[in-house]
Amino acid sequence: MSARKTRVIAIANQKGGVGKTTTVVNLAAALAQMKKTVLVIDLDPQANATSGLGLAPQPGTSLYAVLTGAQDVADIILPTPYENINIIPSELDLAGAEIEIARQDNHLAVVRNELDRVLAAGVFDYVLMDCPPSLGILMTSSLAAADGIVVPMQCEYYAMEGLSVITALIGQLRDNGVNPGLELEGILMTMFDGRTRLATDVVAEVRSHFGDKVYETMIPRNVRISESPSFGQPVVFYDALSKGAEAYLAFAAEFARRTPAGGLPAEHGQADG
Ligand SMILES: Nc1ncnc2c1ncn2[C@@H]1O[C@H](COP(=O)(O)OP(=O)(O)OP(=O)(O)O)[C@@H](O)[C@H]1O
Ligand SMILES: [Mg+2]
C-alpha cells in the first residue's frame, strides 16, 4: 500500500448546536461512499460523533487514554459499522484531557504529535476532527494539528459574531507560528430554511463578507437529519433519498473538489487499494 496525501480537517465552531457533529458524521459517510478512507476523531466528551457512527462510548477508549500513556494511539483507532470509516472514539473521560494536555510542555503540539504517528501509516485520505463547542485546549490543540477548518454555521442572527472569533483564532495560530499553514477551508451554512427571511438574510450577509469561502451547498433543516443519530446512522445511510442526505452528498462532492486528498482525483478512481 503506497502512502496517500491525508488532509486533516477540523470541523469547528465554538458555538454549540450548529451542526458540527452532524457534518462530521455525514461528510465521513459521503466521502466513504466516494471510496475515500476516513478517520473520524471525536474530540467532544459528549461523544455524539461516536454514537452517531453506531459505536457505544467506552470508558478508557478515547484520546484521553493516549494522552495519559494508558493506550497507544494505534490501539484506539476502531472500525465503525461503515466501510472506509474508522474512528478514534470519545467518552466522558475525555473531559479530563483538557487538564492533561495543559500539564504537558508545548501543549498545542500534543494532538499533532499523536496524529503524526497515525498519518505516517498513510492509510487515510481524510481525517475529520469533531471539535467540542468551546474555545478550550482540545479545540485549539486540534486546530494546531489541522491543515484546514470547516466551520458549520447555523443560519441565525448572531452567527457572524461567532465567525469573527474563529477567524481571529486561525490568524493567531498562523501568525505565532503554531500552525502557519492553517486554512479556513470553508463555511457551511446549516439548518437553512429558505422560507424565512432571516435565513436568506444571514446567508446573504455571510456570503458578502466571506465570498467563495462559503460553500455553494447549504444544508436544509431536515427532520431525517435529526432522527438519524438515534439510530446510530449517518443520514446518508439512514435515508439516502431524503433532502438532508442529498445535501450532505452534494456538500461532500464540493468539499472533495476543493480539498482533494489521496493519490488521484476521484474520477480516476482510487489511487490504491
Ligand atoms: N440540517 C439539520 N436539520 C435538522 N436538524 C439538524 C440539522 N443539523 C443538525 N441537526 C440537529 O441539531 C442538533 C445539533 O446538531 P449537532 O449535534 O450536529 O451540532 P453540534 O454543533 O455538533 O453541537 P455541539 O456544539 O453540542 O457539539 C442535533 O440534534 C442534530 O440532530
Ligand atoms: Mg457536536
Side-chain angles (χ1 to χ4, degrees), residues 24-188:
V24 166
V25 164
N26 286 293
L27 179 57
L31 289 170
Q33 274 193 346
M34 294 158 67
K35 305 282 181 245
K36 299 294 180 189
T37 50
V38 183
L39 174 66
V40 169
I41 306 182
D42 191 344
L43 287 159
D44 188 340
Q46 296 178 99
N48 294 335
T50 302
S51 53
L53 284 166
L55 273 79
Q58 283 175 33
T61 311
S62 73
L63 211 59
Y64 180 68
V66 176
L67 298 172
T68 56
Q71 294 262 27
D72 192 86
V73 70
D75 295 330
I76 58 159
I77 297 178
L78 305 183
T80 68
Y82 306 103
E83 201 181 346
N84 294 332
I85 308 177
N86 285 271
I87 188 167
I88 295 181
S90 178
E91 37 94 19
L92 270 178
D93 284 351
L94 188 63
E98 297 262 336
I99 295 163
E100 197 53 45
I101 296 175
R103 277 182 347 116
Q104 304 193 14
D105 296 336
N106 195 9
H107 61 252
L108 283 173
V110 166
V111 171
R112 183 165 49 202
N113 291 343
E114 293 303 334
L115 202 55
D116 280 347
R117 303 179 48 220
V118 173
L119 299 186
V123 293
F124 298 111
D125 294 312
Y126 293 99
V127 173
L128 304 178
M129 298 190 279
D130 187 19
C131 293
S134 76
L135 288 167
I137 291 179
L138 267 173
M139 174 177 166
T140 40
S141 319
S142 54
L143 296 196
D147 299 320
I149 306 179
V150 170
V151 182
M153 201 171 141
Q154 205 178 332
C155 302
E156 55 159 38
Y157 200 66
Y158 292 110
M160 282 289 289
E161 289 174 24
L163 254 181
S164 58
V165 173
I166 213 160
T167 50
L169 182 59
I170 294 172
Q172 225 179 336
L173 289 166
R174 267 208 296 244
D175 297 346
N176 64 16
V178 170
N179 189 354
L182 184 62
E183 289 283 348
L184 173 61
E185 226 45 59
I187 298 163
L188 177 66

